[in-house]
Amino acid sequence: MSEVSETTPQPPHAPHLGGPAPHPGPPHPGPPLLATPVPGPPAPQLTGPGFPQPVAPPATPVQQPVPVPHPPAADHPAAPQPQHLTPQPPAPQPPTPRTPTPQTAAPQPATEAPRTLQYRFDGPEGAPVLVIGPSLGTTWHMWDRQIPELAQHWRVFRYDLPGHGGAPAHAAPSVAELADRLIATLDGLGVQRFGYAGCSIGGAVGADLALRHPHRVASLALVASSPRFGTADEFRQRGVIVRTNGLEPMARTAPERWFTPGFAAAQPAIVEWAVQMVRTTDPGCYIAACEALAAFDIRDHLGRIGVPTLVLVGAEDQVTGPAEARTLVAGIPDARLALVPGASHLAPVEQPAAVCDLLLTHFSTAWQDAPTAAPAAPLVPGPATPAAPFAPLAEIAPAPGAPEAVGPQRESRHERGVKVRREVLGDAHVDAVNASADPFTEDFQELVTRYEWGEAWSRDGLDRRTRSCVTLTALVASGHLEGLAAHTRAALRNGLTPAEIKEVLLQTAVYCGIPAAGAAFTIAQSVIQEETTPPA
């Protein structure tokens, strides 16, 4: 049975994948993590701690929150077959979905809304719970084509990120905050222990849960994920572009980030569906998610993830690709790697059958019983133990060595200054300053880091937007325009819009003089054009 959450349903103008499609066959009985499904005998019953016997699928199709238009059913190209396997016939076409009847629970008090997430359930009520998390800019519908199979064995819980899919636009500033809201939602439903699979930022949420709530997570799958997503500069720059231009630039470039060129050309309806998912996202929540990813970095903590983990990645993923996947596998003690041929970042959409088989195999064989005592360990790095040997399809390069363990230590003023300086000015600027330092200037840079950034910019009395306004004004008033370009970029990263920067400089014209403000306008205009122009 299906059950939709109490929060706002998805908007009717956001198309989806046309409803779930039947899985093209049972999981094959061969090596446990072949990404390309091949037929075999009927699937064996799942056994082991916490697993029910397979049950018949629901008599009615999976319910959607509201009836919405959808692209015509598409033949998803099968994952490339290894040479030693006989090519298989294409998967059957999905049935025509029936018009669903929305199901909505009692609304939640407004004062509690920011602490929970919009969610839905699929599958038998008595089955173990499997939580599935989405990628940035998508909704829970990105997993539609895995649900019919997964819901035969688990009570599948899907959630939307804040401001995505019509969910309330209560922005979450960090991955930890998203994880806390998910835990609060599950607590309210009486769900204590669960398996977890998440894509991209959804994978980051799963990793955070495994680190801070290890007694809650029975098994973990990280799909198209990473211990650190690109660079902080990249995601904060994305936030600047969205704040200035809206989500259209992100929507326009989503297909090239999410799909292989061949799939995008062959499936225009699904590409348009993906674009509409981004367009219907709340911009403020999208920017907050970018900030959350910019700050996310668990490279030193991977050795503390103590549950069986599947790291799944599209072989052609250019966003979080095989290199990031190998870093996860090298650092997580009990992790296995699976590469999905013919897939990019949204592998669950591009190769639904292969991803479904991998998840079925992993969660049916790697579900850990709840420990008798479950205190959460302190969040400090620990050494990684060697993972069990495993050679996934097409994976031939050895994984890099695990990072060395570093003991816990209190954050010093210098460390705090380095962190804030990078967050405000960007990694590229700070790296350039450090590269140019020599024995004559390095003490001065240490002074700047400790007192300007570790003290003044780190105080709680003013937010960073206000500090940027003060800094821009002070630079114009003092005539130190050589620093104005860097702090104009910082102001954009700190949330000021070009219109607000203009107002600050107009104010300086009155109090600091027309010539000084005129020179400042020239510098700021150049920086704003450079920083807010969307990629071609």
Side-chain angles (χ1 to χ4, degrees):
M1 63 179 295
S2 301
E3 177 185 332
V4 181
S5 77
E6 65 272 54
T7 47
T8 307
Q10 303 220 350
H13 55 275
H16 58 82
L17 284 178
H23 194 61
H28 64 79
L33 290 178
L34 274 179
T36 305
V38 296
Q45 292 186 342
L46 300 176
T47 58
F51 282 89
Q53 298 304 318
V55 297
T60 58
V62 174
Q63 301 289 334
Q64 308 292 348
V66 286
V68 294
H70 56 81
D75 282 323
H76 292 279
Q81 300 283 341
Q83 293 182 358
H84 63 278
L85 296 178
T86 303
Q88 302 301 320
Q93 293 289 335
T96 302
R98 306 174 190 173
T99 301
T101 303
Q103 299 180 4
T104 306
Q108 187 180 31
T111 55
E112 297 181 10
R115 285 196 48 77
T116 58
L117 298 172
Q118 177 170 284
Y119 68 91
R120 67 171 290 156
F121 273 115
D122 296 278
E125 293 186 5
V129 173
L130 176 61
V131 177
I132 299 184
S135 175
L136 174 61
T138 73
T139 73
W140 63 41
H141 287 299
M142 68 164 284
W143 294 99
D144 274 355
R145 300 179 74 83
Q146 284 76 37
I147 297 305
E149 278 292 313
L150 297 180
Q152 291 189 43
H153 309 291
W154 295 281
R155 178 77 162 153
V156 181
F157 173 102
R158 286 182 283 172
Y159 67 90
D160 276 329
L161 299 170
H164 291 58
H170 301 294
S174 67
V175 170
E177 171 65 19
L178 287 171
D180 288 344
R181 293 188 194 181
L182 176 56
I183 285 292
T185 307
L186 294 170
D187 285 346
L189 296 166
V191 176
Q192 292 301 309
R193 192 155 172 84
F194 50 85
Y196 186 95
C199 182
S200 194
I201 192 173
V205 170
D208 182 83
L209 291 172
L211 286 168
R212 296 195 297 124
H213 303 278
H215 56 292
R216 304 290 292 270
V217 182
S219 188
L220 181 65
L222 305 177
V223 180
S225 195
S226 176
R228 186 190 186 197
F229 290 79
T231 67
D233 285 355
E234 293 169 3
F235 280 98
R236 293 197 169 100
Q237 174 70 13
R238 191 185 294 188
V240 168
I241 290 174
V242 172
R243 190 177 292 112
T244 308
N245 302 278
L247 279 165
E248 184 57 30
M250 298 300 107
R252 187 176 63 249
T253 57
E256 64 189 59
R257 294 195 307 271
W258 288 353
F259 305 123
T260 60
F263 180 87
Q267 304 291 357
I270 294 178
V271 169
E272 179 59 23
W273 160 82
V275 169
Q276 289 301 322
M277 274 197 300
V278 180
R279 284 178 176 149
T280 56
T281 298
D282 176 77
C285 290
Y286 188 97
I287 293 169
C290 289
E291 290 289 336
L293 288 174
F296 182 78
D297 187 353
I298 59 168
R299 288 173 294 178
D300 291 336
H301 306 297
L302 293 177
R304 289 186 47 250
I305 295 179
V307 297
T309 302
L310 171 68
V311 178
L312 189 155
V313 63
E316 299 181 48
D317 189 345
Q318 301 299 311
V319 180
T320 50
E324 287 82 358
R326 293 187 189 104
T327 301
L328 288 169
V329 172
I332 299 173
D334 185 9
R336 292 185 293 174
L337 177 64
L339 269 68
V340 181
S344 186
H345 193 58
L346 286 194
V349 175
E350 196 163 5
Q351 295 293 347
V355 171
C356 191
D357 273 350
L358 290 165
L359 294 180
L360 281 168
T361 301
H362 173 68
F363 286 110
S364 63
T365 58
W367 193 283
Q368 210 174 60
D369 283 333
T372 53
L379 186 57
V380 296
T385 57
F390 172 71
L393 180 66
E395 174 58 43
I396 56 176
E404 293 183 3
V406 179
Q409 56 183 345
R410 185 176 180 180
E411 187 180 50
S412 68
R413 183 185 300 164
H414 173 82
E415 291 168 329
R416 183 171 65 248
V418 169
K419 178 176 179 290
V420 174
R421 192 179 191 182
R422 287 185 176 276
E423 289 174 353
V424 174
L425 295 178
D427 289 333
H429 177 90
V430 176
D431 289 342
V433 170
N434 291 340
S436 65
D438 57 23
F440 183 73
T441 61
E442 62 184 4
D443 289 341
F444 173 71
Q445 290 301 326
E446 171 72 12
L447 180 72
V448 168
T449 298
R450 284 188 289 117
Y451 288 100
E452 179 182 355
W453 299 103
E455 285 288 342
W457 274 89
S458 297
R459 293 177 62 85
D460 295 329
L462 297 175
D463 60 27
R464 289 184 184 176
R465 284 171 48 88
T466 304
R467 291 189 187 280
S468 279
C469 291
V470 173
T471 302
L472 293 176
T473 303
L475 289 172
V476 176
S478 64
H480 294 308
L481 298 185
E482 66 277 4
L484 190 67
H487 278 281
T488 300
R489 289 188 178 89
L492 291 168
R493 292 160 63 93
N494 285 341
L496 290 177
T497 65
E500 290 170 326
I501 294 174
K502 178 180 71 175
E503 292 301 323
V504 171
L505 296 184
L506 285 173
Q507 192 79 358
T508 66
V510 175
Y511 292 95
C512 305
I514 297 293
F521 263 103
T522 300
I523 295 170
Q525 180 185 40
S526 175
V527 171
I528 289 171
Q529 288 177 345
E530 177 185 343
E531 292 295 311
T532 63
T533 300

